[in-house]
Amino acid sequence: MSDGAAKITNKDGRTAELPILSGTHGPDVVDVRGLRKETGLFTYDPGFASTASCKSAITFIDGDEGILLHRGYPIEQLAEHSNYLEVSYLLMYGELPNQQQREQFEHTISRHTMVHENIRTFLGGFRYDAHPMAMLVGTVGAMSSFYHDSTDINNPQHREISAQRLIAKMPTLAAYCYARYTGRPLLYPDNSLSYVENFTRMMFGVPAEEYTPNPVVTSALELIMILHADHEQNASTSTVRLTGSSGANPFASIAAGIASLWGPAHGGANEAVINMLDAILYSGETIEQTIARAKDKSDPFRLMGFGHRVYKNFDPRAKLIQKMCHDLLADLGGDQPLFELAMELEKATLADEYFIERRLYPNVDFYSGIILRALDIPMNMFTVMFAISRNVGWISHWMEMHEDREFRIGRPQQIYVGAPRRDYPA
Ligand code: ACO
């Protein structure tokens, strides 16, 4: 794994020879673990943009080439041939399941979809207008008080049962958070339905009527969920790892990930896309005026759903979801003026020099926001949908961390820039 070394010398002349590590793909990495011991120096990297916090075998991203691999499989192939539960198995266990493993996994997940009855009561304690994300953070954290029997993080079986419970129960909890928000009755899961159908039934179904899943909605959500299942060491996944590194139980660790995802710079971006489109429609501004504002450096306005910190090429997930978005908008009715505006904006930016030069493409949030709107998923559920999908990524990283022999509690350093030592006034 080691290939060459980087030399760093401090001002006293003490030198550290830092090994260079190589992964399967991606740039080489300077292993700075010996730096402090050898030289007394440490590194400064706000935002961790130049720092690998762990070794991981789950997901690989090449932002320049627009590549996303899960356990080595390109996202395009998974989106075409797989489904969300199979991708979940792949992320968790490292290999695609054979038929028996697939059936066993689906059976296990479907047998864990119900939540403890007291969680339903617990949900009733939230204020009538609580945001579904606020309820989800709270109830997932509270799961540790209901499932004590699987919170020994040093027991691999406990870790696996917790992981399965989290995957199985997250759609139930998410649908219940929405039902509480709207005042609708909480339906029990129906294990004869698929993972996604079960969720949409609990979201939109009512006890007074038979629920018939809509195949267009099911396949659109299945795709969105596959595309959001994991994205290596993003903010929420790193939060789950950092929280879990202290030995916190899995439910508490995943609740921390949900809290991180909630921020508009992370999971809230697709909601921001719809807000922006609504605002443009409301103001009566033309596409040309909107684009001119986005380019104007004296105006803080940016086009939401364009550009990406990692992808400087078309986000491969956006490419996949773009086609579904175009098909859906052609088939479904709904908010036509908003959809037309979105498509005009997409076309105009893809032909605009400013966006081409800076490699600013529509990102996955641009299309997922529009699709979720077209599917009548309420805006305050957009980030919740993301949380249901990313849940398996968080869990897989949490499990991988606990199996990693190099794993230590996460504890970054700092550059202290406060007052020098001084005495309390006498
Ligand atoms: N609209 C207009 N101009 C933009 C946009 C945009 N959406 N994004 C970047 N630019 C411009 C910048 O002004 C800058 O121009 P300059 O070189 O003339 O100064 C150039 O493109 C590079 O921008 P950076 O901010 O350096 O790019 P960075 O990679 O740091 O930012 C980010 C990525 C934060 C996603 C940015 O593109 C953005 O704000 N996009 C809109 C918000 C959004 O859609 N976020 C969701 C991203 S997906 C996710 O992270 C979950």
Side-chain angles (χ1 to χ4, degrees):
M1 190 112 173
S2 176
D3 183 19
K7 271 192 189 170
I8 300 230
T9 305
N10 72 4
K11 56 180 186 245
D12 305 326
R14 280 162 67 199
T15 296
E17 287 219 5
L18 304 171
I20 309 249
L21 308 180
S22 309
T24 316
H25 296 302
D28 289 347
V29 171
V30 182
D31 178 350
V32 296
R33 281 175 294 181
L35 182 65
R36 184 140 188 227
K37 193 162 159 239
E38 304 295 327
T39 64
L41 297 170
F42 52 84
T43 57
Y44 177 59
D45 184 19
F48 313 122
S50 299
T51 299
S53 59
C54 60
K55 290 178 188 156
S56 179
I58 301 174
T59 290
F60 172 73
I61 301 172
D62 183 329
D64 288 327
E65 298 298 323
I67 293 171
L68 170 60
L69 310 177
H70 290 320
R71 300 287 190 183
Y73 294 104
I75 189 68
E76 293 82 356
Q77 294 179 22
L78 294 173
E80 187 179 348
H81 302 295
S82 191
N83 63 36
Y84 180 73
L85 273 193
E86 190 183 59
V87 170
S88 298
Y89 185 99
L90 173 70
L91 290 170
M92 268 177 73
Y93 297 108
E95 294 296 335
L96 286 168
N98 60 31
Q99 189 165 338
Q100 195 208 340
Q101 289 165 327
R102 180 181 306 110
E103 284 168 7
Q104 179 61 49
F105 187 63
E106 284 171 1
H107 177 84
T108 307
I109 297 301
S110 70
R111 291 308 175 280
H112 280 291
T113 48
M114 286 200 299
V115 294
H116 192 290
E117 276 304 287
N118 286 2
I119 290 188
R120 297 160 68 96
T121 322
F122 181 86
L123 274 163
F126 284 104
R127 224 179 90 134
Y128 71 97
D129 59 350
H131 192 287
M133 275 303 274
M135 290 191 257
L136 194 67
V137 174
T139 44
V140 172
M143 275 170 76
S144 37
S145 70
F146 290 98
Y147 301 103
H148 291 292
D149 60 335
S150 66
T151 51
D152 176 2
I153 54 141
N154 297 314
N155 181 331
Q157 268 177 320
H158 278 212
R159 296 201 296 265
E160 188 175 20
I161 293 168
S162 300
Q164 290 166 346
R165 280 182 167 150
L166 276 157
I167 294 174
K169 294 181 199 306
M170 191 67 86
T172 313
L173 284 178
Y176 284 6
C177 293
Y178 183 63
R180 272 285 171 250
Y181 177 79
T182 51
R184 290 153 74 118
L186 313 186
L187 299 186
Y188 286 107
D190 176 348
N191 290 348
S192 68
L193 298 175
S194 76
Y195 189 78
V196 172
E197 289 168 345
N198 201 9
F199 168 70
T200 52
R201 178 180 159 276
M202 289 185 285
M203 258 295 276
F204 297 118
V206 288
E209 280 173 22
E210 196 68 24
Y211 177 79
T212 312
N214 177 339
V216 177
V217 174
T218 305
S219 62
L221 288 184
E222 191 88 48
L223 178 67
I224 289 185
M225 289 179 63
I226 292 174
L227 299 185
H228 287 86
D230 190 46
H231 215 225
E232 52 117 306
Q233 312 306 324
N234 54 82
S236 57
T237 303
S238 299
T239 302
V240 170
R241 279 186 179 260
L242 193 57
T243 307
S245 78
S246 70
N249 75 62
F251 305 108
S253 304
I254 300 301
I258 297 173
S260 166
L261 185 76
W262 196 358
H266 192 4
N270 50 13
E271 204 176 323
V273 169
I274 302 297
N275 283 331
M276 174 191 76
L277 294 173
D278 272 337
I280 298 170
L281 277 179
Y282 183 74
S283 70
E285 193 176 71
T286 63
I287 294 277
E288 291 71 34
Q289 286 168 327
T290 305
I291 292 184
R293 270 205 299 137
K295 294 183 199 174
D296 180 357
K297 297 294 170 203
S298 63
D299 188 329
F301 173 73
R302 278 188 168 195
L303 279 186
M304 289 295 114
F306 290 81
H308 195 280
R309 177 54 52 85
V310 177
Y311 293 113
K312 300 302 174 195
N313 201 323
F314 220 107
D315 175 346
R317 301 168 303 167
K319 257 192 209 159
L320 292 163
I321 209 174
Q322 180 190 39
K323 182 174 177 333
M324 166 159 282
C325 182
H326 290 170
D327 293 350
L328 266 182
L329 297 190
D331 288 355
L332 295 172
D335 196 345
Q336 280 308 326
L338 184 131
F339 300 149
E340 278 164 24
L341 173 68
M343 294 304 96
E344 279 174 43
L345 196 57
E346 178 202 42
K347 201 169 151 201
T349 49
L350 288 175
D352 191 291
E353 254 332 290
Y354 173 96
F355 288 87
I356 296 170
E357 252 174 36
R358 287 168 181 74
R359 307 206 284 168
L360 299 170
Y361 299 97
N363 57 43
V364 68
D365 295 299
F366 180 73
Y367 297 109
S368 71
I370 298 163
I371 291 177
L372 292 175
R373 176 70 160 245
L375 298 180
D376 277 338
I377 304 282
M379 283 244 281
N380 60 9
M381 283 296 285
F382 282 17
T383 320
V384 174
M385 296 302 305
F386 196 162
I388 303 176
S389 321
R390 183 56 56 84
N391 182 32
V392 70
W394 295 329
I395 289 165
S396 304
H397 283 272
W398 179 84
M399 288 176 80
E400 181 180 67
M401 180 186 74
H402 280 291
E403 282 154 21
D404 182 354
R405 297 169 76 94
E406 292 181 354
F407 142 69
R408 302 173 69 189
I409 185 169
R411 205 309 187 177
Q413 298 289 349
Q414 63 167 10
I415 303 181
Y416 176 67
V417 293
R421 189 205 175 280
R422 50 185 162 164
D423 291 320
Y424 188 81

